[in-house]
Amino acid sequence: LNNQEGNFICVNGILIAYRGNDKSVTVPYGVTGIGSGAFMANETLRSVYVSDSVIYIDSMAFASCSELRLVCVPGSVEWIDEYAFSGCSNMTTLTIGSGVTLLDEYAFSWCSALKNVNIPANVTQVGAYAFYECTGLTGATVGADVGDYMFYGCTGLTNVTIGSAVTRIGENAFYGCSRLQSVVIPNRVVEIGDSAFYNCIKLSKVTMGSGVTSIEDAAFCGCESLTAITVPDSVTSMGQMVFFGCTSLTKATIGNGVVKIPESAFSTC
């Protein structure tokens, strides 16, 4: 597909620029990629329907489209590159197709109106800060491994469902999610990363699966509403300051696998 006329400018099947001012756009069939910055900072676009010939969405493709509200990504899309939808501050609805395997870093950062997100299990790699400071996000279902800083600063997040196939919760993944109240960590999760739930001040209940072997430094530091915790027998390594500042913690059951508990693990509890 090559088209140098009209609103869509395509070269060798790649949509490199959009020059229109329509509120709703359907990316034409035959386009295989949406190029870097193709729609960047478009101030009129409200909804985007991506055709099922598209394989990838490149970096900053829709970044700072301040009026964009609805995005439908079909199953044909395999990866969404860094900053692709960053700063789409009015986006409320996001559908991620079943073919996506990569959400790159900052892909949906600062999408402050986004309410719910469902990340399917087919996603095998999530870059750092993928949903950084999506402050309006209230619910998330995560079928893929939880990437580093994935929901950092999502202060409105109250409910998260972590899928049974997840094996890792990355460092700072839920840092500062100050309204998150409970979390169930499934049995396949092996590692809970550094500061994963740091300063989740409303987090009162944590259910830890039987597969966890490592809880890294400050993983639950500052979770001041947490009243009880059970560390399963599978855990063999606990980092420094894991439960530091959990001022409401009155009961901790530590499994037989932990050989040494660092002095700072329960400081100020």
Side-chain angles (χ1 to χ4, degrees), residues 153-169:
C154 293
T155 54
L157 188 63
T158 59
N159 179 56
V160 62
T161 302
I162 300 174
S164 60
V166 173
T167 62
R168 178 179 182 267
I169 298 175

Side-chain angles (χ1 to χ4, degrees), residues 42-47 64-69 90-91:
N42 183 299
E43 296 181 352
T44 58
L45 190 61
R46 293 197 173 196
S47 61
S64 300
C65 289
S66 58
E67 293 301 314
L68 184 60
R69 288 160 166 74
N90 276 305
M91 184 166 66

Side-chain angles (χ1 to χ4, degrees), residues 61-85:
F62 295 92
S64 300
C65 289
S66 58
E67 293 301 314
L68 184 60
R69 288 160 166 74
L70 170 67
V71 176
C72 292
V73 179
S76 61
V77 173
E78 297 176 5
W79 78 87
I80 300 173
D81 214 343
E82 61 185 5
Y83 294 93
F85 294 91

Side-chain angles (χ1 to χ4, degrees), residues 37 39-40 57-65 68 79-88 104-109 111:
F39 291 84
M40 185 176 178
I57 300 173
D58 211 343
S59 61
M60 299 185 289
F62 295 92
S64 300
C65 289
L68 184 60
W79 78 87
I80 300 173
D81 214 343
E82 61 185 5
Y83 294 93
F85 294 91
S86 180
C88 293
D104 213 342
E105 59 185 29
Y106 292 96
F108 297 95
S109 55
C111 292

Side-chain angles (χ1 to χ4, degrees), residues 1-3 10-16 28 30-34 53-54 56:
L1 180 66
N2 288 279
N3 180 12
C10 301
V11 176
N12 296 325
I14 309 303
L15 175 57
I16 63 170
V31 170
T32 57
I34 300 175
S53 62
V54 174
Y56 70 90

Side-chain angles (χ1 to χ4, degrees), residues 111-116 133-139 153-158:
C111 292
S112 54
L114 190 62
K115 298 299 182 185
N116 290 279
E133 290 196 355
C134 291
T135 53
L137 192 66
T138 59
C154 293
T155 54
L157 188 63
T158 59

Side-chain angles (χ1 to χ4, degrees), residues 192-203:
I192 302 172
D194 292 354
S195 303
F197 295 92
Y198 191 102
N199 265 7
C200 292
I201 59 174
K202 293 290 180 65
L203 187 63

